[in-house]
Amino acid sequence: MRILDLFVVASMPIMKVLMLTALGSFLALDRIDVMGESARKQLNNVVFFVFNPALVSSSLAKTVTFESIVLLWFMPFNILLTFIIGTAMGWLLVKITKAPQHIRGLILSCCAAGNVGHLPLIVVPAICREKGSPFGAPDICHTYGTAYASLSMAIGAIYLWSFVYNVVRVSSAKVNKEVNGDDSTRVMKSTGTGGMPSPTLPDQQKYSEPLLPSKNCSISVYTHELSFSCAKSKGTVKVSDFDKTWQYLRIISRKLNLKAIFAPSTTAAFIGFTMGLVPQIRNLVIGGNAPFHVVQDSASLLGDAAIPIVTLIVGGNLLRGLKGPAGICMSLVIGVIAVRYVLLPLLGIVIIKTAVRFGLVHSDPLYQFILLLHYALPPAMNIGTITQLFRAGESECSVIMLWTYGLASISLTLWSTAFLWLVS
């Protein structure tokens, strides 16, 4: 196909996304306030718990088989590569720009985690429906493109919540530790020996308290497991090996936040895999003659609502980057843009072409296109949710999202054209 024809095919889905994003931004304006902050949060919950899981499970159940699993093994590895390479580039960016401590986790996350969920679900099926698409019959292309993108969403959710969540958590913990250390130093200066407050004026007495009332005692960090241990205790408490193991497992589960890792979309992916891979369940649910095909049809109907609603929410969230000052240097924003829209796509082309040459990736052009697309996507929107959770770099995240998603319309169109030319 001619480059101009490929450019038109690639630009149409982006134009549709831009129109819905602009509508979401318009509805989120203070004068309109149809999609204000509270409304977006409620819609986000519905998408997170209902629409996304329905879309992922229904798409995977229709297309996943044992044969397809063998063919798609490279996708989890490919997304992992984007995280590893992006993290390395983000670390270099942090060192070069000397980014402040409280946004280092944000910079690493934005360079590592791309929007491998919603954007492929928007772009790929839309390209399949366009006249002149190089991927063959529109219906078959749409079905398999949605399945590939749903699998990408499930894998990306696991990597996102297991990596980005902990990176931001550790970064925010370091900042809080430094702040608490400074506060403790100030309190120590205002107290006397033995933890007793030094003489103060009556007005100041209520502002100074002892750090610890007892000598050499410590309190467990988990309030629901309140326990004291003192150095002067004459007796010792024996703890069984089973209790120690159980305690370690509970601590590890809190550190990794398994509840966040197994998000509804990830759980739905497991359900979709089970329905597709187990013949008995597949014959009951999948297909027009299946006795319970209404379950699959209802899930597909719910899933179809996910993409437009998510696009409207993204449009509303981008307005936050325009409100209020943000303490982030523009060199950091430019660095994130360069990593996500220049360096990663170029490396992605080398990686995927090398994998195809050595037979690691099969010859399906649609599958190759999605693998290439993983390297050219803007940062994941859930990074903003995670920064809100830890209150670390919220305003800076909004600025980065504003610029990266604003430029994504140009970048995605150009790179999609190049990728279509490479695989067609």
Side-chain angles (χ1 to χ4, degrees), residues 102-280:
H102 73 285
I103 61 171
R104 289 182 181 179
L106 171 65
I107 300 301
L108 291 175
S109 302
C110 289
C111 292
N115 193 338
V116 296
H118 292 120
L119 275 182
L121 277 171
I122 296 170
V123 173
V124 175
I127 290 179
C128 290
R129 286 192 293 262
E130 285 297 321
K131 186 178 180 180
S133 171
F135 299 136
D139 293 338
I140 298 176
C141 172
H142 181 272
T143 301
Y144 279 90
T146 305
Y148 292 158
S150 299
L151 178 60
S152 174
M153 172 187 281
I155 297 168
I158 296 174
Y159 289 158
L160 175 76
W161 288 102
S162 58
F163 176 79
V164 174
Y165 179 89
N166 287 290
V167 166
V168 177
R169 177 182 62 82
V170 171
S171 177
S172 62
K174 288 182 179 179
V175 175
N176 293 334
K177 186 177 180 181
E178 291 176 359
V179 173
N180 292 335
D182 294 340
D183 292 342
S184 299
T185 303
R186 287 193 291 269
V187 173
M188 286 289 290
K189 290 180 180 179
S190 65
T191 59
T193 58
M196 297 301 294
S198 57
T200 54
L201 296 175
D203 293 339
Q204 296 174 332
Q205 187 71 32
K206 58 183 178 182
Y207 295 108
S208 61
E209 296 179 2
L211 290 176
L212 286 175
S214 58
K215 295 182 179 179
N216 300 324
C217 292
S218 62
I219 303 175
S220 174
V221 294
Y222 302 108
T223 56
H224 61 279
E225 296 176 357
L226 192 62
S227 61
F228 297 86
S229 61
C230 295
K232 288 191 174 183
S233 177
K234 296 181 179 179
T236 58
V237 179
K238 293 184 178 180
V239 181
S240 64
D241 293 336
F242 175 79
D243 291 335
K244 289 181 180 179
T245 305
W246 180 249
Q247 183 75 5
Y248 284 130
L249 290 176
R250 293 180 67 181
I251 293 174
I252 291 172
S253 67
R254 291 192 196 97
K255 294 292 185 182
L256 293 178
N257 196 2
L258 296 179
K259 184 178 179 181
I261 295 174
F262 290 99
S265 295
T266 310
T267 306
F270 292 134
I271 295 174
F273 274 118
T274 303
M275 294 171 64
L277 295 175
V278 180
Q280 293 81 2

